[in-house]
Amino acid sequence: MDSKQFREAAISSIDDIVKYYDTIEERRVVSNVEPGYLRKLLPEEAPQNGEAWADIQKDLEAKIVPGLTHWQSPNFLAWFPSSSSFPAMLGEMYSTAFTGAAFNWICSPAVTELETIVLDWLAKAFGLPPCYLSTGPTNGGGVIHGTASEAIATVLVAARDKYLREATSHIADEEEREDAIAIRRSKLVALGSAATHSATKKAAQIAGVRFRAVPVHAEDGYRMMGSELGRVVRELRAKGLEPFYLTATLGTTDTCAVDDMDGIASVLAELAPPGKGEIWVHVDAAYAGAALICPEYQHLARQFDKFHSYNTNLHKWLLVNFDCSTVWVRDRRHLTDALSVSLAILKNQHTDSGLVTDYRDWQIPFGRRFRSLKVWFVVRSYGIEGLRKHVRKHIGLAETFAALVKSRPDLFEIVTGPRFALTVFKVKGKGEGESKLEEVNGLTKALYDRVVEEGRIFLSSTVVGGVFAIRHNPATPLVEEHHVQKHFQILAEAAEKVLL
Ligand code: PLP
């Protein structure tokens, strides 16, 4: 494909993409192909000779699109959204055009510098404390990772090494210190709540440390409370184990609960103060962190100057296409201490001068994408005010949905929410006690299966405190009030049939 052919193919592709977005609502939201459908449609071997773009493009609609679930459809209400916007798509296009591995500053100075600048802009726009700024008082700063899971694994490794370094700093002999580190490593425990995303458990597995879940309770709204955390830390220490890391969640996956940040800060100030078995606190705000763009949510960050790191996926709710997980640390030296490697091939005067950031030392992969470009395009195209409007629109739509659910107490009951545009609800049941729980779980599951099978809307389900519940999260860019009315109508009609 030469540049002339590329121009023609790109124009035709853009036309195709625009048409896809303009008509997305007409498509069945969730794919209903059978497993293995694609193998039957594609040849056994790769083509020996190149094919014309027009032929490849034809196969996209005929063979690939039927196997897509349409995440940008206003009828997609499942999990958390995966945001999309045209400015971010343009960012992706330029990023891939300038493609490079960009591991060090000198690889493309603009890639590093734009990332640092947009992350400082966003830290201020989210109301994060100044310690997270690259220019702040504690050597803080931000970096873009692909996903929250990657962010959590990375900070957990930094936390592990910081803890072990501090715990063995009194040992002068290097070999003795290495031995002490190896022994202590086997005692380390990473913590999260029972409602924390599985990313923390996975990060613990990767880092070779234990994971323990702090219980959460319905009466606390499924938030991790400081008192429960304190109890677990004391119990672990009594067994000779060493908790060193905690994921606190702002917006849990099941119900969008916000952990008790005040209680966590005060219990850890007492049980794990700096220099005395300090526990690194990472706040995972993968989805709900987007709401901090609105001043009315920024009080949620009031304890963050006592914590160590924070992440929000701009690709979930802030109009930046996948992937883009923004991560801030209070002291970047903990990342570079844990992750920096020096190789002869990487030596250059800029790195040696200490005046530049080499983001390879802030992440697990070596090479990195130019993700800040799409963030820059989105922030400039919408402005902070535009992003606030986007978030508030969805919060309003969820309030409308929850009001509709409450308007039919004969059919439904809210389990939690609306919180950050997520409403979790179940079917109303008639019995008493255990048998009622079983009956209601069965009815809610029957409703869920019926609606998803029908394919007009796509939701996800969960189980909280033994209750089977349905999640409604209308936070995709194209969803409007009339869609939410339709979602409710579909659910109510199906519930009437299930409850007959
Ligand atoms: N944390 C929370 C609270 C989530 O809800 C999710 C996914 O929905 C994740 C982490 C994992 O996200 P990622 O796919 O970016 O790793």
Side-chain angles (χ1 to χ4, degrees):
M1 191 183 277
D2 61 21
S3 59
K4 183 170 170 290
Q5 288 166 320
F6 169 66
R7 188 169 179 277
E8 282 162 14
I11 290 169
S12 150
S13 301
I14 300 255
D15 282 345
D16 215 21
I17 290 168
V18 167
K19 190 165 146 227
Y20 172 75
Y21 271 78
D22 286 350
T23 57
I24 196 164
E25 204 179 328
E26 294 158 20
R27 296 177 187 266
R28 182 189 159 91
V29 56
V30 62
S31 172
N32 58 353
V33 296
E34 293 291 326
Y37 88 100
L38 195 52
R39 195 165 280 281
K40 294 186 198 134
L41 300 179
L42 295 190
E44 285 287 312
E45 309 285 338
Q48 292 300 318
N49 298 307
E51 300 175 56
W53 170 249
D55 292 336
I56 302 170
Q57 197 177 25
K58 237 183 273 150
D59 275 355
L60 188 71
E61 183 62 37
K63 297 174 179 167
I64 302 299
V65 175
L68 294 181
T69 288
H70 302 288
W71 284 65
Q72 304 313 318
S73 164
N75 298 319
F76 182 96
L77 307 157
W79 306 301
F80 285 135
S82 192
S83 259
S84 171
S85 70
F86 293 123
M89 283 189 227
L90 294 173
E92 281 287 3
M93 220 164 85
Y94 275 108
S95 161
T96 201
F98 300 145
T99 190
F103 41 87
N104 277 352
W105 180 86
I106 192 57
C107 294
S108 266
V111 174
T112 296
E113 297 203 5
L114 186 63
E115 188 158 329
T116 307
I117 292 166
V118 295
L119 286 177
D120 278 345
W121 282 4
L122 285 171
K124 290 182 199 163
F126 285 140
L128 298 186
C131 57
Y132 291 98
L133 296 174
S134 69
T135 50
T138 54
N139 294 303
V143 59
I144 306 179
H145 287 181
T147 64
S149 303
E150 205 181 314
I152 291 168
T154 307
V155 297
L156 191 141
V157 164
R160 181 196 65 191
D161 285 10
K162 170 182 174 292
Y163 184 90
L164 292 171
R165 206 169 36 248
E166 289 174 0
T168 57
S169 61
H170 58 286
I171 306 173
D173 181 81
E174 210 167 301
E175 225 167 276
E176 240 179 76
R177 194 157 182 239
E178 245 178 29
D179 281 346
I181 285 179
I183 292 163
R184 288 192 98 119
R185 200 186 268 244
S186 69
K187 302 286 176 197
L188 295 184
V189 184
L191 298 168
S193 85
T196 300
H197 189 273
S198 57
T200 297
K201 190 170 183 204
K202 192 182 213 177
Q205 266 168 242
I206 293 167
V209 297
R210 301 166 202 232
F211 173 78
R212 290 289 183 277
V214 177
V216 292
H217 309 286
E219 57 271 27
D220 300 320
Y222 302 103
R223 317 162 63 208
M224 172 168 51
M225 302 307 290
S227 49
E228 277 291 67
L229 171 66
R231 186 181 61 72
V232 171
V233 168
R234 284 191 193 91
E235 274 176 18
L236 290 169
R237 285 184 176 161
K239 288 185 194 158
L241 296 173
E242 302 191 35
F244 74 101
Y245 168 92
L246 170 74
T247 295
T249 310
L250 194 161
T252 58
T253 314
D254 291 321
T255 68
C256 262
V258 177
D259 287 343
D260 168 27
M261 303 295 174
D262 293 344
I264 291 169
S266 83
V267 99
L268 292 184
E270 183 201 332
L271 291 182
K276 290 188 182 153
E278 184 179 19
I279 293 178
W280 176 303
V281 183
H282 174 74
V283 178
D284 175 17
Y287 163 72
L292 269 61
I293 203 83
C294 304
E296 61 271 28
Y297 287 96
Q298 291 180 355
H299 64 278
L300 296 173
R302 68 179 167 245
Q303 297 294 347
F304 291 0
D305 58 339
K306 301 177 188 84
F307 300 158
H308 300 77
S309 50
Y310 177 81
N311 79 273
T312 292
N313 288 357
L314 303 188
H315 66 241
K316 281 200 187 321
W317 196 9
L318 269 189
L319 294 164
V320 178
N321 291 44
F322 193 88
D323 55 351
C324 188
S325 184
T326 47
V327 193
W328 286 270
V329 286
R330 205 177 66 190
D331 187 343
R332 56 187 180 257
R333 289 171 305 186
H334 297 311
L335 282 181
T336 53
D337 283 351
L339 300 169
S340 177
V341 281
S342 84
L343 290 174
I345 194 175
L346 301 176
K347 261 198 104 42
N348 68 82
Q349 73 200 67
H350 307 286
T351 296
D352 292 346
S353 74
L355 295 176
V356 299
T357 298
D358 290 332
Y359 273 128
R360 74 186 153 91
D361 294 337
W362 298 44
Q363 62 175 27
I364 295 167
F366 180 70
R368 51 201 333 274
R369 306 181 58 227
F370 193 1
R371 295 189 185 95
S372 57
L373 202 55
K374 57 184 170 179
V375 179
W376 192 47
F377 286 5
V378 166
V379 172
R380 291 189 61 185
S381 301
Y382 288 85
I384 298 300
E385 267 312 320
L387 296 176
R388 286 181 183 141
K389 205 169 140 203
H390 169 76
V391 165
R392 287 177 183 141
K393 171 180 140 182
H394 295 135
I395 301 241
L397 291 176
E399 277 161 12
T400 302
F401 179 78
L404 289 166
V405 171
K406 284 181 195 155
S407 73
R408 290 297 304 269
D410 54 322
L411 298 179
F412 301 117
E413 225 174 89
I414 289 197
V415 177
T416 60
R419 292 173 177 160
F420 302 103
L422 173 69
T423 306
V424 183
F425 65 99
K426 60 177 180 160
V427 160
K428 185 93 177 171
K430 295 188 194 79
E432 290 282 321
E434 275 292 303
S435 67
K436 176 174 175 182
L437 180 67
E438 254 176 58
E439 180 217 326
V440 172
N441 281 353
L443 289 170
T444 310
K445 174 131 188 11
L447 167 66
Y448 176 75
D449 290 345
R450 186 178 189 116
V451 168
V452 170
E453 171 72 33
E454 197 188 55
R456 285 197 287 162
I457 56 176
F458 184 44
L459 309 106
S460 51
S461 65
T462 186
V463 177
V464 274
V467 173
F468 183 93
I470 301 175
R471 296 167 75 265
H472 179 270
N473 185 207
T476 50
L478 296 177
V479 70
E480 299 294 343
E481 167 111 18
H482 69 93
H483 295 116
V484 168
Q485 301 275 356
K486 187 187 87 180
H487 305 155
F488 179 74
Q489 201 186 331
I490 290 170
L491 285 159
E493 281 168 14
E496 276 164 3
K497 290 188 184 120
V498 163
L499 286 171
L500 256 186

